[in-house]
């Protein structure tokens, strides 16, 4: 049960994502040729400030549908104020749905109607294949950034040679655990397997309840029927050698006993180490229980770190982060689903030049450094991990090297491209039926297979 975590030398985190840092770097300069779009001062030659952002577009207002989780909406509002101060471009912030599934529906409604209302969309790592037709190619803007973005994410965001979004931050599923409680109950490190997690969660839960906290739970995670469940369930099945639903070569692999068993196992947690209501939990509901001090373990993304460590947090300095457990198979390996968000400029925007400047601003090395320090959303630029302030604010970056060495697991969005949302919806709907006892793992994976054959034929 011991884990050699926490003090592995800082940097190379996200090593797998880094690969061989990509993207040609050029010094910031004014765009060579900006498309003349309505509503902008097209005649004047572009002028730029010291940081390389255009100042000749002052007076333009753009709309950005931004972050929604935790403190990051407020953080982006702050960036918008600074951007306006520097460039004279005003950014109106719109808060999108927390659920990625609902958010995609909102976006498709806007974009499907070719609405010019929103200029910049924050898009999920799984959407480039779906949203490519509505996106401005940001390759030239990326080249202006003078930064080494993770090659894997840039490749993920490139569809038929078009860069659909510039990476804002990357994510991976993480196991949060209460260091004080592990110590109290005699555990010397976080669980390595799901069986160990179950045993530890149960022991701590029973102990804490007996000690007078009836609201205490062993493990909280994302069990609602939405994209987040696809992320969690992919981790269960992949860590149990159950594949990635659809493999990178297009093979539909979901119908296998290891995947089925991993879903059945998760079902047993409900009402035992996880609340009955978990089948309605998204990230923030899970964090609510955790943040109140009422859970021993939580599966979540990086943003929960900064919130847990806030001054007024009851769990401040009482928790750590590790890789998620692995299945029981002898060659099972821990799995972390790859997440993260990118800035996309809509082709229907009437203010594309100003929109591109904002997309550059929020994805810049400076913004990513501050984002990591203030709201613990992981950078997509390798050099940011070398910043001692970033590591000091997020010591868990240093302990996560093993996750990234073995690779964050991608959902099958590249291979299924514009059909990914149908694939994921089929998957999380059936997984949810296992969790709610409507069906069992073996039936569910067979049903998913049949439906995916139809969708992907
Ligand atoms: C996080 C991830 C995103 C994922 C979503 C699911 O926002 O960054 O990739 O789709 O969670 O809830």
């Amino acid at each position: 049960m011991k884990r050699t975590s926490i003090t592995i030398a800082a940097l190379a985190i996200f090593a797998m994502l880094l690969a061989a840092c990509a993207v040609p770097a050029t010094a910031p300069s004014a765009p060579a040729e900006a498309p003349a779009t309505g509503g902008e001062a097209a005649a004047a030659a572009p002028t730029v400030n010291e940081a390389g952002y255009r100042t000749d577009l002052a007076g333009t207002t753009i709309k950005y549908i931004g972050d929604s989780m935790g403190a990051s909406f407020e953080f982006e509002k702050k960036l918008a104020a600074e951007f306006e101060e520097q460039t004279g471009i005003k950014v109106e912030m719109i808060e999108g749905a927390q659920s990625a599934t609902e958010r995609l529906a909102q976006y498709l409604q806007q974009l499907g109607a070719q609405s010019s209302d929103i200029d910049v969309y924050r898009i999920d790592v799984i959407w480039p294949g779906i949203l490519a037709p509505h996106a401005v190619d940001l390759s030239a803007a990326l080249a202006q950034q003078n930064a080494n973005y993770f090659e894997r994410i840039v490749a993920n965001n490139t569809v038929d040679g078009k860069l659909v979004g510039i990476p804002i931050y990357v994510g991976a599923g993480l196991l949060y655990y209460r260091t004080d409680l592990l110590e109290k109950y005699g555990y010397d490190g976080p669980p390595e397997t799901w069986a160990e997690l179950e045993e530890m969660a149960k022991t701590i839960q029973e102990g804490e309840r007996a000690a007078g906290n009836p609201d205490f739970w062993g493990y909280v995670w994302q069990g609602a029927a939405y994209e987040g469940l696809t992320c969690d369930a992919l981790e269960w099945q992949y860590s149990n050698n159950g594949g990635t639903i659809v493999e990178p070569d297009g093979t539909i692999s979901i119908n296998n006993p290891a995947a089925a068993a991993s879903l059945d196992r998760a079902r047993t947690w409900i009402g035992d180490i996880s609340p009955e209501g978990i089948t309605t939990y998204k990230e923030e509901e899970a964090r609510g229980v955790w943040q109140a001090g009422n859970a021993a373990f939580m599966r979540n993304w990086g943003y929960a770190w900064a919130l847990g460590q806030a001054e007024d947090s009851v769990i401040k300095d009482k928790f750590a982060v590790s890789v998620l457990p692995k299945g029981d198979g002898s060659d099972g390996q821990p799995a972390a689903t790859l997440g993260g968000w990118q800035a996309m400029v809509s082709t229907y925007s009437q203010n594309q030049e100003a929109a591109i400047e904002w997309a550059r601003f929020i994805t810049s090395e400076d913004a990513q450094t501050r984002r990591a320090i203030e709201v613990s959303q992981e950078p997509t630029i390798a050099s940011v991990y070398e910043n001692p302030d970033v590591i000091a604010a997020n010591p868990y970056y240093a302990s996560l090297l093993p996750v990234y060495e073995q690779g964050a697991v991608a959902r099958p969005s590249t291979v299924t491209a514009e059909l990914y949302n149908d694939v994921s919806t089929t998957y999380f709907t059936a997984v949810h039926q296992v969790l709610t006892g409507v069906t069992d793992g073996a039936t569910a994976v067979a049903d998913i297979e049949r439906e995916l054959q139809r969708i992907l034929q």
Side-chain angles (χ1 to χ4, degrees), residues 69 100 124-126 226-228 231 283 301 338-341 411:
M69 275 195 220
D124 201 330
V125 70
I126 48 184
Y226 80 120
E227 184 61 35
C231 298
E283 284 82 358
W301 308 97
L338 177 70
W341 293 82
R411 285 161 276 174

Short mmCIF file of all heavy atoms in Angstrom, two decimals, residues 69 100 124-126 226-228 231 283 301 338-341 411, ligand 1:
data_model
loop_
_atom_site.label_atom_id
_atom_site.label_comp_id
_atom_site.label_asym_id
_atom_site.label_seq_id
_atom_site.Cartn_x
_atom_site.Cartn_y
_atom_site.Cartn_z
N MET A 69 -16.23 26.24 -13.38
CA MET A 69 -15.99 25.44 -12.17
C MET A 69 -15.22 26.22 -11.11
O MET A 69 -14.23 26.88 -11.42
CB MET A 69 -15.21 24.19 -12.53
CG MET A 69 -16.11 23.09 -13.00
SD MET A 69 -15.21 21.55 -12.98
CE MET A 69 -15.81 20.83 -14.48
N ALA A 100 -20.37 19.33 -19.10
CA ALA A 100 -19.81 19.42 -20.46
C ALA A 100 -20.86 18.98 -21.49
O ALA A 100 -20.92 19.52 -22.60
CB ALA A 100 -18.55 18.56 -20.57
N ASP A 124 -13.94 21.81 -24.90
CA ASP A 124 -13.40 20.63 -24.24
C ASP A 124 -12.43 19.90 -25.17
O ASP A 124 -12.59 19.94 -26.41
CB ASP A 124 -14.58 19.70 -23.86
CG ASP A 124 -14.25 18.73 -22.75
OD1 ASP A 124 -13.09 18.32 -22.64
OD2 ASP A 124 -15.19 18.35 -22.01
N VAL A 125 -11.50 19.18 -24.58
CA VAL A 125 -10.47 18.44 -25.33
C VAL A 125 -11.08 17.39 -26.28
O VAL A 125 -10.45 16.98 -27.24
CB VAL A 125 -9.48 17.80 -24.32
CG1 VAL A 125 -10.13 16.66 -23.54
CG2 VAL A 125 -8.19 17.35 -24.96
N ILE A 126 -12.32 17.02 -26.03
CA ILE A 126 -12.98 15.98 -26.84
C ILE A 126 -13.81 16.55 -28.01
O ILE A 126 -14.42 15.80 -28.74
CB ILE A 126 -13.92 15.15 -25.95
CG1 ILE A 126 -14.78 16.09 -25.12
CG2 ILE A 126 -13.12 14.15 -25.14
CD1 ILE A 126 -15.70 15.45 -24.11
N TYR A 226 -23.70 11.99 -17.60
CA TYR A 226 -23.14 13.09 -18.43
C TYR A 226 -21.69 12.75 -18.73
O TYR A 226 -21.17 11.72 -18.30
CB TYR A 226 -23.28 14.43 -17.69
CG TYR A 226 -22.22 14.67 -16.62
CD1 TYR A 226 -21.36 15.76 -16.69
CD2 TYR A 226 -22.05 13.78 -15.56
CE1 TYR A 226 -20.38 15.98 -15.73
CE2 TYR A 226 -21.08 14.00 -14.60
CZ TYR A 226 -20.24 15.09 -14.69
OH TYR A 226 -19.28 15.28 -13.76
N GLU A 227 -21.04 13.66 -19.44
CA GLU A 227 -19.67 13.40 -19.90
C GLU A 227 -18.71 13.02 -18.77
O GLU A 227 -17.81 12.20 -18.96
CB GLU A 227 -19.14 14.64 -20.65
CG GLU A 227 -17.77 14.49 -21.26
CD GLU A 227 -17.71 13.38 -22.31
OE1 GLU A 227 -18.70 13.17 -23.03
OE2 GLU A 227 -16.65 12.72 -22.40
N GLY A 228 -18.91 13.61 -17.61
CA GLY A 228 -18.02 13.29 -16.49
C GLY A 228 -18.05 11.81 -16.12
O GLY A 228 -17.04 11.25 -15.67
N CYS A 231 -15.74 9.91 -18.21
CA CYS A 231 -14.35 10.04 -17.73
C CYS A 231 -14.07 9.05 -16.60
O CYS A 231 -13.08 8.32 -16.61
CB CYS A 231 -14.09 11.46 -17.22
SG CYS A 231 -14.25 12.73 -18.49
N GLU A 283 -18.86 17.09 -10.89
CA GLU A 283 -17.64 17.44 -10.16
C GLU A 283 -17.95 18.25 -8.90
O GLU A 283 -17.40 17.99 -7.82
CB GLU A 283 -16.70 18.27 -11.05
CG GLU A 283 -15.95 17.49 -12.09
CD GLU A 283 -16.76 17.22 -13.35
OE1 GLU A 283 -17.95 17.62 -13.41
OE2 GLU A 283 -16.21 16.60 -14.28
N TRP A 301 -10.76 16.63 -10.76
CA TRP A 301 -9.72 17.27 -11.57
C TRP A 301 -8.91 18.20 -10.68
O TRP A 301 -9.28 18.47 -9.52
CB TRP A 301 -10.37 18.06 -12.71
CG TRP A 301 -11.33 17.28 -13.53
CD1 TRP A 301 -12.69 17.27 -13.39
CD2 TRP A 301 -11.04 16.38 -14.61
NE1 TRP A 301 -13.25 16.41 -14.32
CE2 TRP A 301 -12.26 15.87 -15.09
CE3 TRP A 301 -9.85 15.95 -15.22
CZ2 TRP A 301 -12.34 14.96 -16.14
CZ3 TRP A 301 -9.93 15.05 -16.28
CH2 TRP A 301 -11.16 14.57 -16.72
N LEU A 338 -7.75 11.89 -19.72
CA LEU A 338 -7.26 13.19 -20.19
C LEU A 338 -8.43 14.17 -20.33
O LEU A 338 -9.43 13.85 -20.97
CB LEU A 338 -6.57 13.01 -21.55
CG LEU A 338 -6.06 14.28 -22.22
CD1 LEU A 338 -4.86 14.85 -21.47
CD2 LEU A 338 -5.69 14.01 -23.69
N GLY A 339 -8.27 15.32 -19.71
CA GLY A 339 -9.28 16.37 -19.85
C GLY A 339 -8.61 17.66 -20.26
O GLY A 339 -7.42 17.68 -20.58
N GLY A 340 -9.36 18.74 -20.24
CA GLY A 340 -8.77 20.03 -20.50
C GLY A 340 -9.57 20.86 -21.50
O GLY A 340 -10.47 20.35 -22.15
N TRP A 341 -9.22 22.14 -21.58
CA TRP A 341 -10.01 23.10 -22.35
C TRP A 341 -9.15 23.97 -23.25
O TRP A 341 -7.98 24.21 -22.95
CB TRP A 341 -10.84 23.94 -21.38
CG TRP A 341 -11.87 23.10 -20.69
CD1 TRP A 341 -11.66 22.30 -19.59
CD2 TRP A 341 -13.24 22.90 -21.08
NE1 TRP A 341 -12.83 21.62 -19.28
CE2 TRP A 341 -13.81 21.97 -20.18
CE3 TRP A 341 -14.03 23.41 -22.11
CZ2 TRP A 341 -15.14 21.55 -20.26
CZ3 TRP A 341 -15.37 22.99 -22.20
CH2 TRP A 341 -15.90 22.08 -21.28
N ARG A 411 -10.13 9.79 -24.15
CA ARG A 411 -11.42 9.26 -24.59
C ARG A 411 -11.35 9.10 -26.12
O ARG A 411 -10.56 9.77 -26.77
CB ARG A 411 -12.53 10.24 -24.18
CG ARG A 411 -12.85 10.18 -22.70
CD ARG A 411 -13.59 11.43 -22.23
NE ARG A 411 -12.68 12.52 -21.90
CZ ARG A 411 -13.03 13.76 -21.57
NH1 ARG A 411 -14.32 14.08 -21.54
NH2 ARG A 411 -12.13 14.68 -21.27
C1 LIG B 1 -13.44 18.48 -17.02
C2 LIG B 1 -12.45 18.06 -18.10
C3 LIG B 1 -13.18 17.78 -19.39
C4 LIG B 1 -14.28 16.77 -19.15
C5 LIG B 1 -15.23 17.23 -18.07
C6 LIG B 1 -16.25 16.16 -17.74
O1 LIG B 1 -13.97 19.72 -17.31
O2 LIG B 1 -11.47 19.04 -18.29
O3 LIG B 1 -12.28 17.33 -20.37
O4 LIG B 1 -14.98 16.47 -20.33
O5 LIG B 1 -14.51 17.55 -16.91
O6 LIG B 1 -17.07 16.53 -16.72
#
